[in-house]
Amino acid sequence: MVSDTDHVPPGGKAGRPRSERARRAVLHAVDDLLVDVGYAAMTMKGIAERAGVGRQTVYRWWSTKAEILLEACLVDAEEELTTPPRPDAADDLLAYLTALTEFLTTSPAGLAYRALIGEAQHDPVVRDLVHQAGLLALSAHDVLRRVRSSAPNMPDECLCAAQLTGPVVTQILTTPEPLPERLLEAHVAALLRAWR
Amino acid sequence: MVSDTDHVPPGGKAGRPRSERARRAVLHAVDDLLVDVGYAAMTMKGIAERAGVGRQTVYRWWSTKAEILLEACLVDAEEELTTPPRPDAADDLLAYLTALTEFLTTSPAGLAYRALIGEAQHDPVVRDLVHQAGLLALSAHDVLRRVRSSAPNMPDECLCAAQLTGPVVTQILTTPEPLPERLLEAHVAALLRAWR
Amino acid sequence: MVSDTDHVPPGGKAGRPRSERARRAVLHAVDDLLVDVGYAAMTMKGIAERAGVGRQTVYRWWSTKAEILLEACLVDAEEELTTPPRPDAADDLLAYLTALTEFLTTSPAGLAYRALIGEAQHDPVVRDLVHQAGLLALSAHDVLRRVRSSAPNMPDECLCAAQLTGPVVTQILTTPEPLPERLLEAHVAALLRAWR
Amino acid sequence: MVSDTDHVPPGGKAGRPRSERARRAVLHAVDDLLVDVGYAAMTMKGIAERAGVGRQTVYRWWSTKAEILLEACLVDAEEELTTPPRPDAADDLLAYLTALTEFLTTSPAGLAYRALIGEAQHDPVVRDLVHQAGLLALSAHDVLRRVRSSAPNMPDECLCAAQLTGPVVTQILTTPEPLPERLLEAHVAALLRAWR
DNA sequence: ATTTAACCGAGACGGTACGTCTTGTCTTATA
DNA sequence: TATAAGACAAGACGTACCGTCTCGGTTAAAT
């Protein structure tokens, strides 16, 4: 008589587990490709090939190149946007804005982030991803919390963050040159005048 | 008024003259498609078909969809961003920022402009096009010139424009909701405090 | 000194025995799928899923869908092609050819067999499998042995089988309609005329 | 008055005409690939690449590799199956069956034809194509018409063709070896005995 | 009673063909 | 020379299946 029991494993997850090696290879491939060929020329096919990974494996875990890029750059980004506290409020803000400028114009992670903001204008899904990551807001709030004591007249935190970073970011997104150091100083001075 | 005909060239060069009819059809098609299917799904092929125009005709006069879009939206954009002067500086600035917000979140021309800013992050050619148009800077300078008299301490004009529009624009580009009226007022108040 | 208990398992095989349940499920799945989706759309993946069986389990026991199909249909086929003897030679042959026609145009096992003949034209491995099974030849020889006595002039047995079944089979394989009853009768009459 | 017309050409066909060069390249590629890699391993992608032709160009004019193959082999096939008349009926039939055997076992066009018959068992569309081409029937009818005078007792033409070619074709399709010359002779002799 | 070897299901893996789409160029006939 | 139409070579799209692999878990014969 033949037993009828080749039964399903009762709990837990069946099947081969996800390959961490493949995941990392994809994230690295995206980093490399963004620098090598740019966002527009970066394709899902190209990512898979560069990573030495099956195409389906990419699609299994990410829907779009934007999703991969976000995962690839988020950690680096957060780190690069964290500046050490400085005793003087003006110095503190200036250091942050300098780091922000550097990040968005030079750092690979920053270029990725700019590409994502760009894509967000075309694709509402990416828009939500980018907003949910909240990279800009988070890093700005950190530094703003520190200067709060020396700027008693600061308005709504959200507006403050916008006032602090908006001019810098918009300049970078819409013109070929970022605000120069000199104007960053003037910007910080004006902000502190308004918030004091 | 533009003739709807492809009339005989009165003088100058031989050959069939450019069809004004085709040019207009393409610009209208781009406008329609941006609303109907969005920037990402808009293709040169689709534009030609929607315009009832040969594909080659599109490529003959424009290189990319961004170029067409820019030509299609610039005139409307400039008009929508021009606000009538108001006696009070705060009122003047607020009216401008409200118009700017409206433009970037609601107007077809504004959505086109946002798409172009997005594309500019991926493609340096578009970046140059967008910067050369200088839409934001130009419209901001208009209103800033008017409030200059009542804000003697205004810094560099370029920084001023950035300080005025940057927070509003960045908010729109990176979050799902623009700055609300209330925060626009607070923003203007803070700026005038800093500039006075 | 050599341990007496360290030796290779002497005979028989250790390990879990093959699951008869899985084998049957696969064969049934193939039968069902051939009818439901056709040979071309039948895939190893689909078979495994329909059978509720792991993919590896299928590959462990069969190499190709053709192999499974052959195992699934052979028994049925042999049975359907065996006709009871009839006293009159013409009747006997006609009954066989009618059964053969029915088999190849209607019976699931016959459709499977036709699919296998088709695949055999593309894949020499399948060709060998099909030939080794020798379905057609075997069944034809049975009936030919019975009419041998009343057809003294019959040539080589192999040619006889070909002359008997070839016209019927080729017609089915290359045209949408099989030879009708009327022509089967004429065919049998002609054969007996030639062999008498 | 000025014409408003970039209008559709009133009759005939607009646009670039079909490239005869591309058509020929595809047909040759299919011929080559059938011999080089076999029918099963022949893919639409491979055909396009071997032909130096865009994939879309292949799909524009043919739906499946079977369709291409049919177009590629039909002309050759018809020629190879046409045998010159011989005075003796037995000689005439034998020459035809020898050519048929040669064709189906050796000639590239014949191998293509066999592949098509194979595919026809899986795909009703191909089945119709193959039947509509009617290669076997046509060539058989030619030679049968010639022997008609010396075989007054011949049955229905359709059955005759089946009786003539069926045994030969089925043997080739279902076993590794075709009927040898000796049995072809015996087959022809038997047929003439039956038809006389 | 333990070990051990082969089985089982599920499902991720690297590949690759599918048929469709868009790209930018080209080749027509017509204007 | 511009135009609309549409074929062309190229190649990315996202999906499907290939055959292999890697899991956790089962089963029964051999220790």
Side-chain angles (χ1 to χ4, degrees):
Chain A
M1 189 67 185
V2 175
S3 151
D4 207 7
T5 53
D6 297 321
H7 61 71
V8 178
K13 59 278 189 122
R16 183 177 180 172
R18 176 173 184 182
S19 159
E20 182 60 20
R21 187 200 136 281
R23 179 180 157 272
R24 287 229 262 256
V26 168
L27 296 180
H28 282 140
V30 165
D31 269 349
D32 293 355
L33 282 172
L34 185 70
V35 172
D36 284 10
V37 305
Y39 182 83
M42 193 167 73
T43 66
M44 291 296 258
K45 186 173 189 258
I47 293 166
E49 279 167 5
R50 170 75 75 120
V53 144
R55 214 119 75 79
Q56 186 79 84
T57 299
V58 179
Y59 284 108
R60 187 158 21 236
W61 304 110
W62 299 277
S63 297
T64 62
K65 57 180 176 177
E67 229 172 87
I68 313 177
L69 203 51
L70 193 61
E71 182 169 339
C73 81
L74 259 194
V75 178
D76 282 353
E78 234 158 326
E79 185 178 330
E80 294 182 39
L81 286 179
T82 303
T83 50
R86 308 218 173 191
D88 182 56
D91 286 356
D92 214 359
L93 293 175
L94 183 60
Y96 171 68
L97 291 184
T98 305
L100 178 57
T101 299
E102 192 73 11
F103 173 71
L104 288 176
T105 56
T106 305
S107 151
L111 295 178
Y113 192 66
R114 256 171 66 182
L116 289 171
I117 294 178
E119 192 65 9
Q121 310 312 311
H122 306 149
D123 182 345
V125 174
V126 177
R127 154 170 300 262
D128 286 352
L129 282 177
V130 169
H131 177 233
Q132 208 171 357
L135 187 56
L136 237 50
L138 283 178
S139 65
H141 285 172
D142 265 7
V143 66
L144 284 171
R145 200 180 323 111
R146 297 202 298 255
V147 302
R148 164 131 286 158
S149 56
S150 47
N153 208 13
M154 266 170 74
D156 183 289
E157 181 137 11
C158 168
L159 174 58
C160 280
Q163 286 179 320
L164 177 63
T165 63
V168 173
V169 172
T170 300
Q171 181 77 13
I172 290 172
L173 294 184
T174 61
T175 77
E177 291 297 329
L179 288 179
E181 186 79 10
R182 183 177 54 83
L183 292 187
L184 289 185
E185 286 169 21
H187 177 46
V188 167
L191 281 182
L192 288 177
R193 229 177 299 138
W195 294 345
R196 208 98 64 178
Chain B
M1 189 70 184
V2 176
S3 150
D4 211 20
T5 54
D6 301 332
H7 55 73
V8 177
K13 49 255 200 157
R16 183 176 182 174
R18 176 173 184 182
S19 159
E20 181 62 19
R21 182 196 139 279
R23 179 178 158 273
R24 290 236 264 249
V26 168
L27 295 179
H28 281 140
V30 163
D31 269 350
D32 293 355
L33 282 173
L34 185 70
V35 172
D36 284 9
V37 305
Y39 181 82
M42 193 168 74
T43 66
M44 293 296 261
K45 188 181 186 234
I47 293 166
E49 278 167 6
R50 169 76 75 119
V53 143
R55 216 116 73 74
Q56 191 69 258
T57 300
V58 179
Y59 283 109
R60 202 179 344 260
W61 304 111
W62 299 275
S63 296
T64 63
K65 58 179 177 177
E67 231 172 84
I68 314 177
L69 202 52
L70 196 61
E71 180 168 343
C73 81
L74 258 194
V75 177
D76 282 354
E78 242 161 321
E79 184 178 332
E80 292 182 41
L81 286 179
T82 302
T83 48
R86 308 219 173 190
D88 182 57
D91 285 356
D92 214 359
L93 292 175
L94 184 61
Y96 171 68
L97 291 183
T98 304
L100 178 59
T101 297
E102 192 72 13
F103 173 71
L104 287 176
T105 56
T106 306
S107 150
L111 294 178
Y113 190 67
R114 256 172 65 183
L116 289 172
I117 292 177
E119 191 66 9
Q121 310 311 311
H122 306 148
D123 182 347
V125 174
V126 177
R127 155 167 298 262
D128 287 352
L129 281 176
V130 168
H131 175 231
Q132 211 170 357
L135 186 57
L136 239 49
L138 283 178
S139 66
H141 285 173
D142 267 6
V143 67
L144 284 172
R145 200 180 324 113
R146 298 200 298 256
V147 302
R148 165 131 283 160
S149 55
S150 49
N153 207 12
M154 265 172 74
D156 184 288
E157 181 136 9
C158 167
L159 175 58
C160 279
Q163 286 180 320
L164 177 63
T165 63
V168 174
V169 172
T170 298
Q171 181 77 13
I172 290 172
L173 295 183
T174 61
T175 76
E177 291 296 329
L179 288 179
E181 186 79 11
R182 181 177 57 79
L183 292 187
L184 289 185
E185 287 170 19
H187 177 45
V188 166
L191 280 180
L192 289 178
R193 229 178 300 138
W195 293 346
R196 208 88 76 174
Chain C
M1 188 86 181
V2 176
S3 155
D4 212 350
T5 56
D6 204 5
H7 58 75
V8 176
K13 50 269 201 131
R16 182 179 184 173
R18 176 173 182 183
S19 160
E20 182 61 19
R21 183 197 139 278
R23 178 179 158 272
R24 289 231 263 255
V26 168
L27 295 179
H28 282 141
V30 164
D31 270 350
D32 293 356
L33 283 173
L34 185 70
V35 172
D36 285 9
V37 306
Y39 181 82
M42 193 169 73
T43 68
M44 292 296 260
K45 188 180 186 241
I47 292 166
E49 278 167 6
R50 169 77 75 119
V53 144
R55 216 117 73 79
Q56 190 69 258
T57 299
V58 179
Y59 283 108
R60 197 173 356 253
W61 305 110
W62 299 275
S63 297
T64 62
K65 58 179 176 175
E67 231 173 84
I68 313 176
L69 202 52
L70 195 62
E71 180 168 343
C73 80
L74 259 194
V75 178
D76 281 354
E78 242 160 321
E79 185 179 331
E80 292 181 41
L81 286 180
T82 302
T83 48
R86 307 216 173 192
D88 182 56
D91 286 357
D92 213 359
L93 293 174
L94 183 61
Y96 170 68
L97 291 183
T98 305
L100 179 59
T101 298
E102 193 72 11
F103 173 71
L104 288 176
T105 56
T106 306
S107 151
L111 295 178
Y113 190 66
R114 256 172 65 184
L116 289 172
I117 294 177
E119 191 65 9
Q121 310 311 312
H122 308 149
D123 182 344
V125 174
V126 177
R127 155 168 297 263
D128 288 352
L129 282 176
V130 169
H131 176 231
Q132 213 170 358
L135 187 56
L136 239 49
L138 283 178
S139 65
H141 286 170
D142 267 5
V143 67
L144 283 172
R145 200 180 323 111
R146 299 200 299 254
V147 302
R148 166 131 283 159
S149 56
S150 48
N153 207 14
M154 265 173 73
D156 186 286
E157 182 136 10
C158 167
L159 174 58
C160 281
Q163 286 179 319
L164 177 63
T165 63
V168 173
V169 172
T170 299
Q171 181 77 13
I172 290 171
L173 294 183
T174 61
T175 76
E177 290 298 327
L179 288 179
E181 185 80 9
R182 180 178 57 80
L183 291 187
L184 289 185
E185 286 170 19
H187 176 47
V188 166
L191 280 182
L192 289 177
R193 228 177 300 138
W195 294 345
R196 207 89 74 172
Chain D
M1 190 65 188
V2 175
S3 152
D4 202 5
T5 51
D6 299 323
H7 62 71
V8 177
K13 57 287 192 110
R16 183 178 182 173
R18 177 174 181 183
S19 159
E20 182 61 19
R21 185 200 138 280
R23 180 179 156 272
R24 287 229 261 257
V26 168
L27 296 180
H28 282 140
V30 165
D31 269 349
D32 293 355
L33 282 172
L34 185 70
V35 172
D36 285 10
V37 306
Y39 182 82
M42 191 169 74
T43 67
M44 291 297 259
K45 185 172 187 259
I47 293 166
E49 279 167 5
R50 170 76 75 117
V53 145
R55 216 117 76 79
Q56 186 78 89
T57 300
V58 179
Y59 282 108
R60 192 167 8 244
W61 303 111
W62 298 277
S63 297
T64 62
K65 57 179 176 176
E67 229 173 88
I68 313 177
L69 203 52
L70 193 61
E71 182 168 341
C73 80
L74 258 195
V75 178
D76 282 353
E78 236 160 327
E79 186 178 331
E80 294 181 39
L81 286 180
T82 302
T83 49
R86 307 219 173 188
D88 182 57
D91 286 356
D92 214 0
L93 293 175
L94 183 61
Y96 172 67
L97 292 183
T98 305
L100 178 58
T101 298
E102 193 72 12
F103 173 71
L104 287 177
T105 57
T106 306
S107 152
L111 294 179
Y113 191 67
R114 256 171 66 183
L116 289 171
I117 293 179
E119 191 65 8
Q121 310 311 312
H122 307 148
D123 182 346
V125 174
V126 177
R127 154 170 302 262
D128 286 353
L129 281 176
V130 169
H131 177 232
Q132 209 170 358
L135 187 56
L136 237 49
L138 284 179
S139 65
H141 285 173
D142 265 7
V143 65
L144 284 172
R145 202 181 320 111
R146 298 202 297 255
V147 302
R148 166 132 283 159
S149 55
S150 48
N153 207 15
M154 267 171 72
D156 184 288
E157 183 137 10
C158 167
L159 175 58
C160 279
Q163 286 179 320
L164 177 64
T165 64
V168 173
V169 172
T170 299
Q171 181 77 12
I172 290 172
L173 295 183
T174 61
T175 77
E177 291 297 328
L179 288 180
E181 185 79 9
R182 182 177 56 81
L183 292 187
L184 289 185
E185 287 169 20
H187 177 46
V188 167
L191 281 182
L192 290 178
R193 230 177 298 139
W195 294 346
R196 208 95 69 174

